[in-house]
Amino acid sequence: MVISSEMKDDMFIRTIGANLFDSDFEDGENDSEDDLLESEFEFSCEDKTICDVLKTKTVTIQHKTCTSRDLVGLQVWRGAFLLADFILHNAARFNGKNVIELASGVGLTSIVAGLIANKVLATDVDRENILSLLRSNVNKNNHRKNIKVAEFDFFWDEYSQSLTEEIETSDIILAADVVYIEAVTKHFIKTLLNILKLGNKNKEVYIAVEKRREASPGGQIIAPMFSYFHQCLHQDLHKTVINDRSTVIVEELQIDFPQYFVYTRVPELTLWKIHIKNL
């Protein structure tokens, strides 16, 4: 099955010009799964306190516009832009912090975090060229030399010493559009719980997820993957007691903050915060 990110439509609309039909490609040739596209994503900056900190207002990313399901991390997804907007709007919250992004994909959110945070660890699975492309994109945009790339698989039960140390000293965990099959969602939630148990008890987790709808066999409009994610959040995370002294709190955040990147911020986009509260 070939899957295309919704950003493919956004990028098409954004690049429409007088030469729309002047192409050297045969029909369908530019939709190949094997093609890498390089895009420059510019963002606005109206807050002088943010502008003075940033070294650039452009993120250059290599990515694909369609892939198989197991390689969706090679595409750009709207959840990454929503998280990037959230970071830029909350620069004071990220300034000086140690950040880890889970399932970083092509790295857009990690790169934006790196413009403000103390350091960022961008992680993903080592499957085909996901990790190598992430590393390449980070190298292109690592203006402050504070972003590292590492392998991290939600299906792991144990972590290396170096990864454990990164988790223990982290302040903020990020993840965008990681919900696409139940098995991944289940182990993602397990991973979040493991991370919250390690080190800094003031960790904050921010997750951007798009509620992708589809028609059921009976004709009803449903969002099965989002529903399963929502169920796991509240059954396996929310109010879970950690070390008999604290509990996990899950809350949905409003997404009415300013938009810095150009993309379609659809109402199906959701943003979640997870943190620990002392009993």
Side-chain angles (χ1 to χ4, degrees):
M1 176 187 294
V2 175
I3 297 174
S4 295
S5 163
E6 298 87 354
M7 283 302 301
K8 183 177 181 180
D9 296 331
D10 285 355
M11 287 185 285
F12 172 75
I13 293 171
R14 191 178 60 192
T15 55
I16 287 178
N19 61 342
L20 172 61
F21 299 105
D22 298 337
S23 173
D24 294 329
F25 291 107
E26 297 294 332
D27 289 345
E29 184 179 344
N30 57 344
D31 280 340
S32 169
E33 278 190 66
D34 297 325
D35 291 338
L36 272 178
L37 177 68
E38 183 167 286
S39 301
E40 286 192 355
F41 298 104
E42 296 183 1
F43 57 90
S44 60
C45 181
E46 298 177 358
D47 187 333
K48 189 175 185 302
T49 58
I50 298 176
C51 297
D52 290 344
V53 173
L54 301 180
K55 292 184 176 294
T56 183
K57 290 193 287 185
T58 302
V59 179
T60 303
I61 294 289
Q62 279 194 316
H63 60 96
K64 293 190 176 185
T65 57
C66 57
T67 63
S68 59
R69 183 183 293 274
D70 60 334
L71 295 176
V72 291
L74 298 174
Q75 300 187 53
V76 186
W77 299 89
R78 283 193 288 235
F81 286 99
L82 182 67
L83 265 187
D85 281 347
F86 180 78
I87 293 167
L88 291 171
H89 186 62
N90 294 275
R93 182 177 301 181
F94 285 82
N95 186 31
K97 298 298 177 64
N98 299 332
V99 175
I100 297 177
E101 185 183 13
L102 305 175
S104 301
V106 294
L108 186 139
T109 303
S110 286
I111 290 166
V112 173
L115 296 173
I116 300 170
N118 175 51
K119 66 175 183 177
V120 177
L121 183 66
T123 71
D124 214 317
V125 293
D126 189 9
R127 182 184 303 138
E128 292 199 20
N129 62 330
I130 290 178
L131 210 57
S132 61
L133 183 59
L134 172 60
R135 186 171 285 111
S136 175
N137 283 333
V138 164
N139 289 339
K140 284 189 182 78
N141 298 273
N142 200 359
H143 303 286
R144 297 175 60 215
K145 309 301 180 186
N146 63 338
I147 310 173
K148 296 192 301 183
V149 174
E151 182 185 5
F152 196 152
D153 194 318
F154 299 156
F155 288 79
W156 287 348
D157 292 319
E158 298 180 351
Y159 308 139
S160 66
Q161 181 179 345
S162 60
L163 183 56
T164 299
E165 290 173 356
E166 293 282 358
I167 294 171
E168 288 177 340
T169 58
S170 64
D171 303 298
I172 296 175
I173 309 298
L174 303 173
D177 275 326
V178 296
V179 176
Y180 56 95
I181 59 173
E182 288 191 2
V184 171
T185 301
K186 177 182 177 181
H187 285 274
F188 170 59
I189 297 297
K190 176 205 71 176
T191 298
L192 289 180
L193 189 56
N194 289 340
I195 288 174
L196 289 170
K197 292 177 180 178
L198 290 173
N200 181 3
K201 299 305 180 185
N202 295 315
K203 278 186 179 66
E204 296 179 343
V205 180
Y206 296 98
I207 308 169
V209 173
E210 184 166 344
K211 187 186 299 183
R212 291 184 172 84
R213 304 180 190 275
E214 60 186 65
S216 71
Q220 294 178 315
I221 303 302
I222 58 175
M225 289 301 98
F226 179 83
S227 297
Y228 184 70
F229 164 72
H230 190 270
Q231 174 187 319
C232 290
L233 273 185
H234 289 85
Q235 289 186 359
D236 302 331
L237 266 184
H238 187 51
K239 295 188 177 180
T240 296
V241 176
I242 296 178
N243 301 326
D244 297 325
R245 297 189 301 272
S246 54
T247 184
V248 178
I249 301 299
V250 176
E251 58 182 308
E252 185 173 1
L253 303 180
Q254 297 297 313
I255 61 169
D256 55 355
F257 45 87
Q259 185 169 328
Y260 298 87
F261 281 91
V262 178
Y263 65 103
T264 305
R265 188 183 286 184
V266 295
E268 287 78 15
L269 281 168
T270 65
L271 183 62
W272 302 83
K273 177 183 178 180
I274 301 170
H275 60 101
I276 296 175
K277 180 181 178 181
N278 292 329
L279 292 174

